[in-house]
Amino acid sequence: MQVRVRIHRWVVWWFYVGVVCGVVALINILGRDLSRTQERIILLIGVVHWVLGGLVCYALDAVRIEEGSSGRLKREEPTRPRDAPEWHPASDFILPGTRKRVLPPGL
């Protein structure tokens, strides 16, 4: 059984910002002589950051967990009938800006 986790890019950035700010907060709490009130305010700001991020992710369905198929995941290619002729516009055979053709003039 495969499990796919789809995460929006901004969620990853929100996570990175939270980790960096948490490290800075811990360095300030452990390295400086802060009062108890200042420590609680710093920790409260961190908790608000993570709770707000979680609520926004939940509200926007930014993280989805899906069950994948047992085989390798492939992109579905559009199918066309085998009898249908392949068609290309004329602009596919002209190099832009040079007025030279890719195919010889007889074709």
Side-chain angles (χ1 to χ4, degrees):
M1 181 171 104
Q2 286 184 339
V3 177
R4 269 181 109 170
V5 179
R6 293 179 174 240
I7 302 173
H8 284 265
R9 186 172 291 136
W10 63 267
V11 175
V12 176
W13 279 104
W14 188 279
F15 180 79
Y16 287 154
V17 167
V19 169
V20 169
C21 290
V23 168
V24 170
L26 283 176
I27 290 172
N28 282 329
I29 288 172
L30 298 176
R32 296 182 179 226
D33 189 23
L34 299 176
S35 69
R36 193 74 169 156
T37 306
Q38 290 172 332
E39 289 177 3
R40 287 184 179 174
I41 290 173
I42 289 174
L43 292 174
L44 180 67
I45 290 171
V47 168
V48 167
H49 174 83
W50 288 107
V51 169
L52 179 63
L55 289 175
V56 170
C57 287
Y58 178 75
L60 297 178
D61 200 24
V63 178
R64 283 184 274 163
I65 300 174
E66 301 171 351
E67 290 186 21
S69 62
S70 60
R72 196 174 234 196
L73 297 174
K74 296 179 182 178
R75 292 186 179 180
E76 293 182 18
E77 297 180 9
T79 58
R80 63 180 179 89
R82 297 227 181 238
D83 301 340
E86 188 172 345
W87 181 84
H88 293 279
S91 61
D92 283 355
F93 301 104
I94 298 176
L95 296 175
T98 60
R99 293 186 182 240
K100 295 182 180 177
R101 297 179 182 267
V102 175
L103 298 175
L107 295 176

